[in-house]
Amino acid sequence: MTETAFDTDATAAPSIGSRLSPAGGVAITGADLGEKLSPAIREAILAAFREHHVLVFRDQDLSRDEQLAFTRQFGEIEEHVARHSAAGRYGLVHMVTNVGDDGQPTTKLTQTGNYHWHTDKSYHAVPSLMTLLHAKELPPDGGDTQFANMAMAYEALPEAMKRRIAGLHAVHSWAASRRRAGAPPPSEVEMRERPPVDHPLVRTHPETGAKTLYIGNHASHIRGMPEDEGEALLLELLEHATQPQFVYTHHWRDGDLVMWDNRCLLHRALANYEMTKHRRVLHRTVVTGTVPF
Ligand code: SIN
C-alpha cells in the first residue's frame, strides 16, 4: 500500500495509505492519538475524514480518558439515552460488546441495534457527526464492521426515485429502533428524553454538499404517508443503499481506532464470529453534529 505523509510542517507527521475501497476508508499509521493534536494534524485528519469518510488509525492503545480527550478535539461528546437503564455500558464512553453482565460472551446482546444498518443517533433532533470505535478485545476471526456510502447510493438511484423522495421526511425514533432490534420498549424517561423526530430523507452533507440518503434502523416511517407504505419505501431504499458496491467492510486489527462520518454512512456490526465463544469489546465515543437539512 502506498503511504503518504500528511501534508503538514510537523516533523513526525502520520502517514495516510491508499483508499481501502471505492465506498471509503483509509488507514493512518504513525499517529499518536494519546497526545494533543497540533492544529495542522487535526486539520489533516478532518480533510481525510471529509474525503474518505472512514479513518482507520492503526496501533493505538487509548484508555477511556485518552479516547475522551482525543474525541473532544473534534466537538461535543454525546450521551446515550440508554444510560438510564444500562449505566455500566453507556457512560460517556459506550461499551460495544457481546459480553453479558456475567462476564461471558453471549448472543443475547446481538438484539441491540449495532447489528442492524443505522446511522448513529438519528433519533436525536441534532444527530451524531462522527463516531470513534476503539478495539479492546477482538475475536480471532470476524466481528467486522460494515460501512455503506449513502452519497454513492443516492447518486445511483433512478431519476424517478430521486423525484419521488425529494422533499420527504422520515420519522426516526428510539422506540422504533428498539422494536425492530427485538429489544424491550424504552422506559418513560427515555421516551421523554428522546421523542420521535423528523429528518429529511435526502440530506445534504454540511461540509461537502453531497446529497445522501438518511435512512437506517432508527427510521420507522415517512411523515404524511401511510405507515406501511413509508416503511416499505424505507426498506426498498435500504436494500438499494447497502449493495456490495457501496460497502466497505472493516476487518478489525488489534489497536485499531476507527472514526466515521455518520452524515454520509450507514454502518452495522457483522455477527460473523463465534459469539458465544469469543469476546468482542470496543469503546465508542460520539460527537454531536448539526441539524440535518
Ligand atoms: C456501532 O453500531 O456503533 C458499533 C458497530 C460495531 O459494533 O461494530
Side-chain angles (χ1 to χ4, degrees):
M1 181 169 60
T2 321
E3 299 265 334
T4 320
F6 272 17
D7 188 14
T8 76
D9 295 335
T11 43
S15 294
I16 182 164
S18 41
R19 181 108 163 179
L20 294 168
S21 82
V26 280
I28 295 174
T29 50
D32 183 355
L33 306 188
E35 292 291 318
K36 186 166 165 35
L37 302 173
S38 69
I41 290 187
R42 179 178 172 280
E43 278 316 308
I45 288 174
L46 285 172
F49 185 72
R50 280 190 294 275
E51 186 176 349
H52 302 292
H53 324 303
V54 183
L55 304 185
V56 180
F57 293 95
R58 302 288 191 197
D59 310 314
Q60 304 299 319
D61 184 14
L62 301 191
S63 66
R64 280 185 166 79
D65 283 348
E66 286 169 332
Q67 184 168 338
L68 285 170
F70 175 60
T71 306
R72 280 200 179 97
Q73 297 175 82
F74 298 98
E76 186 192 331
I77 299 182
E78 286 175 352
E79 290 191 307
H80 202 299
V81 65
R83 72 192 183 285
H84 295 295
S85 50
R89 281 189 67 195
Y90 291 103
L92 263 193
V93 178
H94 313 153
M95 286 265 285
V96 174
T97 181
N98 67 325
V99 179
D101 291 339
D102 60 359
Q104 297 303 313
T106 169
T107 52
K108 223 164 113 206
L109 300 172
T110 59
Q111 291 192 331
T112 59
N114 62 321
Y115 289 85
H116 302 261
W117 285 112
H118 64 286
T119 168
D120 279 334
K121 301 181 184 166
S122 63
Y123 50 82
H124 287 200
V126 185
S128 313
L129 188 167
M130 65 170 63
T131 300
L132 298 88
L133 196 58
H134 187 19
K136 288 288 152 185
E137 294 180 63
L138 295 172
D141 291 301
D144 304 329
T145 303
Q146 291 191 308
F147 299 91
N149 183 318
M150 292 300 103
M152 288 173 79
Y154 174 78
E155 272 314 309
L157 283 174
E159 288 306 316
M161 179 58 102
K162 286 186 185 164
R163 282 195 297 277
R164 180 176 171 206
I165 63 177
L168 295 182
H169 283 71
V171 181
H172 297 243
S173 90
W174 173 235
S177 170
R178 307 259 311 162
R179 188 175 66 244
R180 286 182 164 175
S187 65
E188 261 179 50
V189 67
E190 289 177 346
M191 282 311 295
R192 261 202 311 280
E193 186 173 306
R194 296 290 166 218
V197 292
D198 289 8
H199 293 304
L201 189 50
V202 180
R203 75 178 282 191
T204 304
H205 193 287
E207 290 179 272
T208 65
K211 284 191 169 184
T212 70
L213 287 172
Y214 201 53
I215 53 178
N217 201 46
H218 308 317
S220 60
H221 59 283
I222 304 290
R223 177 66 65 210
M225 199 182 268
E227 287 200 13
D228 53 347
E229 204 183 308
E231 187 164 20
L233 174 59
L234 287 168
L235 286 175
E236 184 182 343
L237 291 171
L238 188 68
E239 201 168 314
H240 160 82
T242 54
Q243 295 177 84
Q245 66 269 31
F246 307 135
V247 172
Y248 163 62
T249 300
H250 182 64
H251 308 294
W252 288 92
R253 293 190 202 164
D254 286 337
D256 279 355
L257 184 146
V258 176
M259 174 196 264
W260 69 82
D261 190 340
N262 286 295
R263 302 166 298 181
C264 58
L265 298 169
L266 293 180
H267 63 279
R268 68 170 178 183
L270 285 183
N272 60 347
Y273 65 107
E274 287 188 86
M275 298 193 68
T276 50
K277 192 162 165 199
H278 299 298
R279 294 163 62 96
R280 180 178 188 268
V281 181
L282 303 106
H283 288 173
R284 180 175 60 195
T285 40
V286 188
V287 171
T288 307
T290 49
V291 175
F293 59 90

